[in-house]
Amino acid sequence: MPAPYSSSERYSRLRISKSQWMMLGLIVLLAAYVRLWRLSNPANVVFDEVHFGKFAGKYLNGTYFFDVHPPLAKMMFAAAGKFAGYDGKFDFKSIGLDYVAAGVPYVGMRLMPAMLGLAMVPITYVTLAALGHAADACAVGALLVAFENALLTQSRLILLDSALIFFTGATVMFWALFFTEARQPFGRRWWAYLLLTGINMGNALSCKWVGLFLVATIGVWTVRDLWDKLGDLSISASQYTRHFIARAFALIVVPLVVYLFWFQVHFSVLHKSGDGNAFMSPEFQNTLDGVNLGHTPRDIYYGSRLRIRHDATNAGYLHSHLSNYETGSKQQQVTLYGFRDDNNFWVITRTEAAES
């Protein structure tokens, strides 16, 4: 009579020999050489360093800004800049600006993504080994990552992608390691790998929202794993419930808490008024240092001087321009404008009909 099906039989604990570690060490040394060699070149602002270097400076100055990406990777650059001696004054305002002439410790800021890119080499090796591949396949995979041109290029600049790829790789690695503990469920290593999967998934999502694809990947994998366990007669109903709750906590609650935590840090650090104010509600702006918009609602009378803001989108203020429309009514141009200035003020006056 055949033995009952067990969903954990296909997995075994990770074992990496001394010779494999030596091979991995050699590959890491080669990867370090190609990533760190002449990291100072070019000594100018390159591509999106315009944005992410500038945002690092705003974190160091505590000046509020608005950006479409979540905050973690940008805060990591701010931390790297702080350790390297960057004071946040250089504005990164255009591509080609000279770092050396401005005295910016840009090499220290570029070192952070370079080290994250370098870490992807051992992460790849360990992931492949955890998935059951032979030592030669693990070495080939690590070598491919070490010399892949796109990964190499983006890891040498102040860009968000290295942090995103690092946390994505770490998530998959810990998820693969989690399955190597399938025969010892709910043990210390089992819980450690599962929680580290959730933490790094939250970190990836906190760098860029494209991390949602990682959430989908782990989610589908989890559904398949739980489906296999549903047909495993060696797992009781109570054990299956424990498996379900453990995964729900580690892979849903933990990433969400991590994501919200980094936003809490983001708002705590950026406490001063800045150029991102206009994207936020008046209530939020009043929480920033140096802003006093007053409280609403207020009574409005004839002669009141006020700003009128588009309520549904927070897109901007009703703004009068000095120019007239060239066609149509040919009257004064009135549009929405995203920043506060004197042309946003309007005065409430009586109409001729009201006066009569």
Side-chain angles (χ1 to χ4, degrees):
M1 186 174 179
Y5 166 76
S6 175
S7 60
S8 62
E9 285 183 351
R10 74 184 77 170
Y11 306 111
S12 59
R13 274 197 167 180
L14 175 65
R15 291 179 175 84
I16 299 179
S17 67
K18 184 177 179 180
S19 61
Q20 286 179 273
W21 285 119
M22 292 176 63
M23 174 60 71
L24 176 57
L26 179 61
I27 297 172
V28 169
L29 288 176
L30 291 172
Y33 175 75
V34 297
R35 277 167 174 75
L36 302 178
W37 182 70
R38 296 188 66 186
L39 189 60
S40 59
N41 183 53
N44 308 89
V45 178
V46 178
F47 188 50
D48 273 357
E49 289 186 333
V50 164
H51 303 297
F52 305 124
K54 175 180 64 179
F55 294 152
K58 290 184 181 295
Y59 277 115
L60 294 177
N61 295 325
T63 305
Y64 187 78
F65 69 92
F66 178 84
D67 182 48
V68 296
H69 299 297
L72 177 55
K74 292 171 289 188
M75 291 193 293
M76 292 170 66
F77 279 117
K82 181 69 173 179
F83 282 116
Y86 175 47
D87 58 10
K89 294 180 180 178
F90 184 73
D91 58 9
F92 293 84
K93 65 180 179 180
S94 62
I95 294 174
L97 286 180
D98 193 329
Y99 285 132
V100 177
V104 180
Y106 69 102
V107 176
M109 297 178 73
R110 286 179 178 174
L111 183 62
M112 189 269 289
M115 297 306 295
L116 294 179
L118 176 61
M120 281 302 301
V121 175
I123 284 174
T124 301
Y125 191 100
V126 172
T127 301
L128 292 172
L131 292 173
H133 293 284
D136 292 343
C138 297
V140 170
L143 280 169
L144 289 174
V145 172
F147 294 102
E148 204 285 318
N149 194 53
L151 293 176
L152 179 61
T153 301
Q154 55 85 22
S155 68
R156 292 172 56 89
L157 300 171
I158 305 173
L159 304 175
L160 305 184
D161 302 271
S162 280
L164 171 67
I165 293 171
F166 168 78
F167 288 122
T168 300
T171 300
V172 176
M173 179 187 72
F174 286 120
W175 186 238
L177 289 170
F178 167 71
F179 281 98
T180 66
E181 298 295 319
R183 296 187 181 186
Q184 294 83 29
F186 307 106
R188 289 185 178 180
R189 287 189 181 184
W190 188 92
W191 272 112
Y193 291 144
L194 181 59
L195 290 172
L196 285 169
T197 299
I199 290 169
N200 281 281
M201 183 160 57
N203 285 337
L205 189 58
S206 300
C207 290
K208 273 188 169 184
W209 279 346
V210 72
L212 286 169
F213 288 104
L214 175 64
V215 175
T217 300
I218 299 298
V220 171
W221 205 337
T222 301
V223 170
R224 170 61 189 275
D225 176 48
L226 290 173
W227 178 258
D228 286 343
K229 282 178 168 48
L230 191 62
D232 188 344
L233 298 180
S234 67
I235 298 177
S236 66
S238 61
Q239 288 176 319
Y240 184 85
T241 301
R242 290 177 66 194
H243 277 285
F244 183 89
I245 293 174
R247 285 159 175 77
F249 172 75
L251 303 178
I252 298 176
V253 177
V254 170
L256 182 60
V257 170
V258 169
Y259 181 80
L260 295 177
F261 169 77
W262 290 123
F263 265 99
Q264 176 62 38
V265 175
H266 166 81
F267 289 120
S268 297
V269 172
L270 302 180
H271 59 89
K272 299 178 183 177
S273 175
D275 56 18
N277 292 17
F279 295 96
M280 310 304 290
S281 68
E283 291 80 7
F284 177 85
Q285 292 182 46
N286 273 328
T287 66
L288 300 173
D289 296 346
V291 176
N292 184 15
L293 299 180
H295 299 284
T296 56
R298 284 184 174 181
D299 293 330
I300 296 175
Y301 307 95
Y302 291 125
S304 294
R305 188 168 178 262
L306 50 87
R307 292 188 178 98
I308 301 174
R309 184 172 189 143
H310 193 273
D311 180 64
T313 63
N314 260 345
Y317 299 95
L318 194 64
H319 181 89
S320 62
H321 298 266
L322 296 177
S323 303
N324 294 340
Y325 290 107
E326 295 183 0
T327 59
S329 68
K330 297 185 178 181
Q331 294 179 350
Q332 184 181 8
Q333 293 182 13
V334 176
T335 64
L336 286 181
Y337 182 64
F339 303 93
R340 296 197 303 271
D341 70 11
D342 289 343
N343 284 356
N344 294 343
F345 283 113
W346 298 83
V347 179
I348 305 298
T349 62
R350 294 173 64 88
T351 63
E352 293 180 0
E355 292 174 352
S356 60

